[in-house]
Amino acid sequence: MPKLQGFEFWSCTLGGARHVVAPMVDQSELAWRLLSRRHGAQLCYTPMLHAQVFIRDANYRKENLYCDVCPEDRPLIVQFCANDPEVFVQAALLAQDYCDAIDLNLGCPQMIAKREIDKTVRYAQMLEKAGCQLLTVHGRTKEQKGPLSGTASWEHIKAVRKAVAIPVFANGNIQCLRDVERCIQDTGVQGVMSAEGNLHNPALFEGRSPAVWELAEEYLDIVRQHPCPLSYVRAHLFKLWHHTLQVHQQLREELAKVKTLEGIAAVSQELKLRCQEDISRQKEGEKPSGGLPFFHWICQPYFRPGPRDGSRESGGAPSKRALEEEEGSTDILSKNKQKKKLRNPHKTFDPSLKPKYAKCDQCGNPKGNRCVFNLCRGCCKKRAFKETADCAGHGLLFKTKLEKSLAWKGAQPRLQEPQQARPGEPGGFPEVMGSALA
């Protein structure tokens, strides 16, 4: 059948999907996708796969796609990361029989992600011109990543939607079904993608906030039918039980240490019993603590701190990092920092004592203190290669290596050229040559 494009592709192949579960590394495996589909998700993505490894490693293909799909898991989009067009095409050809579309990850925080809306629009138009049939806009700058993701800009998403003639999905600020509806109305997009919101409440697209144990038990049942690495299951339970684990912290250690699926299920069951005890002790008119919209045993959003003030947008408590910066204290340390402190008692985590690095003029990364070009290593390498120069500060020796190569070639003895003879004479070539002589 002919390849469908644009809105026809979205409508027919993807079923006009509006509720989309994002590609999440080690978190959007088959079991989680099936759980999400049961509760309102209309389209799912695989975790991001490495195109080069996908081509090279048959086990990688088997574990991450070939044995991780089923008829109920459609429509499905496979996402790849790649920087070589040929490699990307080869990976897509190997995956095409197991999915409905192929996605190229362009959302990692690189320098292309700028604050100005016009640059974002031009970049989207360039992708459309290159043949992109559907575009997902995350609406965040390169600084907004990891724990400091902050608020996504729906203005950028709206501008992109108006500027292109292909379907657009929005991603960012999606914590409940009301956010989905408001995003579609405000930006005009065809669908809305959720990652963090989906992990904390897989029933988000249903507009429900059920008890955590309801979805935890359902997910564990699906995992028994469609096994996945234990690390994936543990990570999902940490997200689902996030708010309860702030209350019953002793069970956090148990969840982190168990080595079997049934062990994880046992900890989840204990958390359920603790929650039911909390419910039985609940007083009439009592409100949730910690600024939460619901009690801790109810599936609900988790608000990450913004990139500037480190505080929760909902007005809740600031993050641990923000507390350390405000108080200048190293008393509140993560477990990883505590281990580093044990290995090196003189180590300090006071941010005011961290060295200040000058920024590279070209890209903004920290520049080398002894770089002859006054640049970071990446920019220095490009310039040194272009100018055939050395930089002792970064250990780059393009000029030195070229000089040594030329000196070596000049020192090699010249081979005498054989005297040419006419065809037919002794030492001459035959009249007809079948191939070149080595």
Side-chain angles (χ1 to χ4, degrees), residues 387-409:
E387 299 182 8
T388 317
D390 290 349
C391 176
H394 282 122
L396 303 174
L397 303 173
F398 293 108
K399 180 181 178 182
T400 300
K401 289 180 179 178
L402 178 62
E403 291 174 346
K404 286 183 178 180
S405 176
L406 294 174
W408 181 83
K409 288 180 180 179

Side-chain angles (χ1 to χ4, degrees), residues 43-79:
L43 171 65
C44 292
Y45 283 65
T46 67
M48 184 184 72
L49 305 179
H50 194 295
Q52 185 70 259
V53 180
F54 193 82
I55 294 172
R56 183 179 66 239
D57 192 335
N59 285 332
Y60 184 82
R61 294 195 294 272
K62 181 179 178 182
E63 293 171 0
N64 290 279
L65 183 61
Y66 293 177
C67 293
D68 201 43
V69 293
C70 69
E72 298 80 23
D73 188 34
R74 303 296 281 267
L76 177 68
I77 296 180
V78 173
Q79 186 185 75

Side-chain angles (χ1 to χ4, degrees), residues 320-321 323-354:
K320 183 186 296 182
R321 182 186 295 270
L323 286 172
E324 291 178 16
E325 291 177 354
E326 286 178 12
E327 300 170 8
S329 169
T330 57
D331 295 335
I332 307 174
L333 296 178
S334 65
K335 291 184 179 179
N336 189 37
K337 289 182 179 179
Q338 290 175 20
K339 290 178 182 178
K340 291 181 179 179
K341 191 78 172 176
L342 286 174
R343 291 195 297 265
N344 183 5
H346 301 292
K347 187 172 182 64
T348 178
F349 296 98
D350 186 347
S352 64
L353 299 179
K354 289 184 178 180

Side-chain angles (χ1 to χ4, degrees), residues 109-367:
Q110 302 294 333
M111 286 304 292
I112 194 65
K114 300 290 186 180
R115 289 185 182 278
E116 293 83 1
I117 289 182
D118 60 335
K119 290 188 177 181
T120 303
V121 167
R122 289 202 301 272
Y123 186 54
Q125 291 172 331
M126 177 190 71
L127 293 172
E128 180 185 17
K129 187 176 181 181
C132 174
Q133 301 300 330
L134 187 148
L135 193 61
T136 299
V137 185
H138 293 262
R140 289 190 172 94
T141 65
K142 66 185 180 67
E143 290 84 7
Q144 293 176 275
K145 55 186 177 180
L148 300 179
S149 55
T151 305
S153 169
W154 285 2
E155 286 300 313
H156 282 68
I157 298 173
K158 182 178 180 180
V160 170
R161 174 65 201 94
K162 287 184 176 180
V164 298
I166 56 176
V168 173
F169 287 166
N171 178 266
N173 308 347
I174 305 302
Q175 302 291 355
C176 62
L177 185 59
R178 185 173 62 255
D179 293 338
V180 174
E181 296 165 350
R182 187 165 57 87
C183 183
I184 292 175
Q185 182 178 356
D186 289 359
T187 64
V189 294
Q190 280 61 54
V192 172
M193 178 183 286
S194 174
E196 192 83 21
N198 165 262
L199 290 175
H200 287 272
N201 181 11
L204 180 153
F205 290 124
E206 281 185 323
R208 291 197 310 127
S209 294
V212 174
W213 62 78
E214 176 187 327
L215 295 180
E217 290 172 352
E218 186 177 1
Y219 170 66
L220 291 171
D221 285 341
I222 297 175
V223 171
R224 292 184 182 98
Q225 301 171 40
H226 302 280
C228 64
L230 201 66
S231 59
Y232 298 7
V233 182
R234 196 194 319 272
H236 280 302
L237 269 291
F238 269 120
K239 288 285 196 306
L240 285 171
W241 286 113
H242 173 82
H243 297 293
T244 297
L245 289 171
Q246 310 306 308
V247 178
H248 301 287
Q249 296 187 10
Q250 67 276 18
L251 290 175
R252 174 182 290 276
E253 289 292 323
E254 294 188 29
L255 184 57
K257 291 178 180 178
V258 289
K259 304 293 185 182
T260 65
L261 179 62
E262 293 311 314
I264 288 178
V267 176
S268 186
Q269 179 66 19
E270 180 61 27
L271 284 164
K272 174 182 177 180
L273 295 175
R274 297 286 182 94
C275 288
Q276 291 175 339
E277 290 174 1
D278 292 343
I279 293 172
S280 65
R281 291 193 294 266
Q282 183 180 341
K283 298 177 181 178
E284 186 177 352
E286 184 178 351
K287 294 183 179 180
S289 60
L292 297 177
F294 305 111
F295 289 100
H296 63 80
W297 55 81
I298 300 296
C299 288
Q300 58 192 294
Y302 165 67
F303 295 95
R304 288 184 178 272
R308 292 187 178 180
D309 57 10
S311 62
R312 283 175 40 174
E313 294 167 29
S314 62
S319 66
K320 183 186 296 182
R321 182 186 295 270
L323 286 172
E324 291 178 16
E325 291 177 354
E326 286 178 12
E327 300 170 8
S329 169
T330 57
D331 295 335
I332 307 174
L333 296 178
S334 65
K335 291 184 179 179
N336 189 37
K337 289 182 179 179
Q338 290 175 20
K339 290 178 182 178
K340 291 181 179 179
K341 191 78 172 176
L342 286 174
R343 291 195 297 265
N344 183 5
H346 301 292
K347 187 172 182 64
T348 178
F349 296 98
D350 186 347
S352 64
L353 299 179
K354 289 184 178 180
K356 303 296 182 183
Y357 294 100
K359 292 184 178 180
C360 172
D361 295 335
Q362 294 188 12
C363 69
N365 289 323
K367 66 181 180 183

